[in-house]
């Protein structure tokens, strides 16, 4: 089983690339953001707990997303591999993922990091707000908070995965096709 991880700031294009990669490689796309939004739409207990945090641009609890990931892996035993998008976002989540895979005698294949500047993050999210209508995309202060959270909590994973020899970085400021080609070369 292959386990790839798409990494990068909000708006880096992870979702766009994930769609293309899933089609090409038949991987199971697991976006914790999408899973959480589904729970919110269904008004589940979990969704209600997550909504205020997400709308304010904060992370939800590690234990919630860790359980979601374990469930996705358990429920899809026949796929050739997984493509995680938006997970892990903290060192604790990365450690939990390593432990989860180790328990199965497996490990992460590669972390593919799509890097864009903070100013482009802003531009992309403002553009997406008009298309997708996400509440956390619609307010500049909330976007600021998501960028800050990324730098404070998620960026620590760069050295975490570098130390483990799993980290591969791609410049996310080219065309969708260029970036897709670079990621495909890594996979
Ligand atoms: P973005 O494009 O901003 O990265 P996502 O759809 O990946 O958006 O995530 C939206 C929100 O969902 C995040 O701001 C956060 O509140 C929550 N979220 C998603 N994944 C995680 C995670 N792994 N850990 C904690 N919170 C998460």
């Amino acid at each position: 089983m292959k386990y790839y991880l798409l990494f990068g700031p909000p708006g880096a294009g992870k979702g766009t690339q994930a769609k293309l990669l899933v089609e090409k490689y038949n991987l199971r796309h697991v976006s914790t953001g999408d899973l959480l939004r589904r729970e919110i739409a269904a008004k589940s207990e979990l969704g209600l707990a997550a909504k205020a945090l997400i709308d304010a641009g904060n992370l939800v609890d590690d234990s919630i997303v860790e359980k979601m990931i374990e469930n996705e892996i358990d429920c899809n035993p026949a796929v050739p591999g997984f493509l995680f998008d938006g997970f892990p976002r903290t060192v604790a989540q990365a450690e939990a993922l390593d432990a989860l895979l180790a328990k199965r005698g497996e490990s992460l294949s590669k972390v593919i990091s799509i890097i864009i500047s903070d100013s482009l993050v802003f531009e992309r999210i403002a553009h997406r707000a008009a298309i997708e209508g996400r509440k956390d995309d619609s307010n500049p202060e909330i976007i600021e908070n998501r960028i800050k959270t990324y730098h404070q909590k998620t960026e620590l994973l760069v050295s975490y995965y570098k130390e483990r020899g799993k980290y591969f970085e791609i410049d996310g400021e080219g065309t969708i096709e260029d970036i897709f080609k670079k990621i495909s070369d890594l996979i």
Side-chain angles (χ1 to χ4, degrees), residues 13-185:
K14 300 185 293 289
T16 304
Q17 294 298 329
K19 273 190 208 109
L20 298 169
L21 292 164
V22 160
E23 235 170 73
K24 182 165 179 183
Y25 296 103
N26 205 20
L27 301 167
R28 170 94 185 166
H29 178 207
V30 183
S31 156
T32 41
D34 287 348
L35 291 172
L36 289 165
R37 280 186 289 277
R38 220 169 288 159
E39 295 288 338
I40 291 173
K43 296 197 163 59
S44 69
E45 203 174 309
L46 193 161
L48 291 175
K51 186 175 185 328
L53 290 164
I54 293 178
D55 286 351
N58 294 318
L59 297 180
V60 305
D61 295 351
D62 289 334
S63 60
I64 290 184
V65 287
E66 287 163 18
K67 251 180 252 145
M68 287 180 146
I69 293 288
E70 183 157 27
N71 186 46
E72 278 288 319
I73 295 177
D74 283 343
C75 292
N76 294 284
V79 298
F82 289 87
L83 181 65
F84 299 124
D85 159 8
F87 176 92
R89 260 174 153 94
T90 62
V91 171
Q93 290 177 20
E95 287 168 349
L97 178 61
D98 282 345
L100 187 68
L101 297 181
K103 207 166 67 182
R104 293 158 193 269
E106 297 188 289
S107 66
L108 208 59
S109 310
K110 269 181 191 173
V111 175
I112 300 164
S113 174
I114 309 175
I115 291 300
I116 64 171
S117 66
D118 287 354
S119 57
L120 194 59
V121 169
F122 241 99
E123 228 176 87
R124 294 243 184 110
I125 292 183
H127 175 70
R128 185 170 74 184
I131 300 169
E132 294 182 12
R134 272 171 55 176
K135 199 164 177 189
D136 60 342
D137 284 348
S138 64
N139 175 327
E141 271 168 40
I142 292 170
I143 299 173
E144 279 288 2
N145 190 33
R146 286 157 66 196
I147 294 174
K148 195 180 93 195
T149 304
Y150 171 77
H151 289 306
Q152 282 179 349
K153 300 192 172 156
T154 307
E155 216 166 31
L156 298 172
L157 295 178
V158 172
S159 50
Y160 181 94
Y161 287 121
K162 271 186 184 164
E163 280 161 20
R164 288 159 179 76
K166 306 273 183 188
Y167 185 82
F168 298 83
E169 194 168 281
I170 283 172
D171 177 359
E173 307 208 357
T175 66
I176 291 175
E177 293 73 23
D178 279 349
I179 295 163
F180 182 52
K181 164 93 179 50
K182 285 184 199 158
I183 299 178
S184 299
D185 288 346

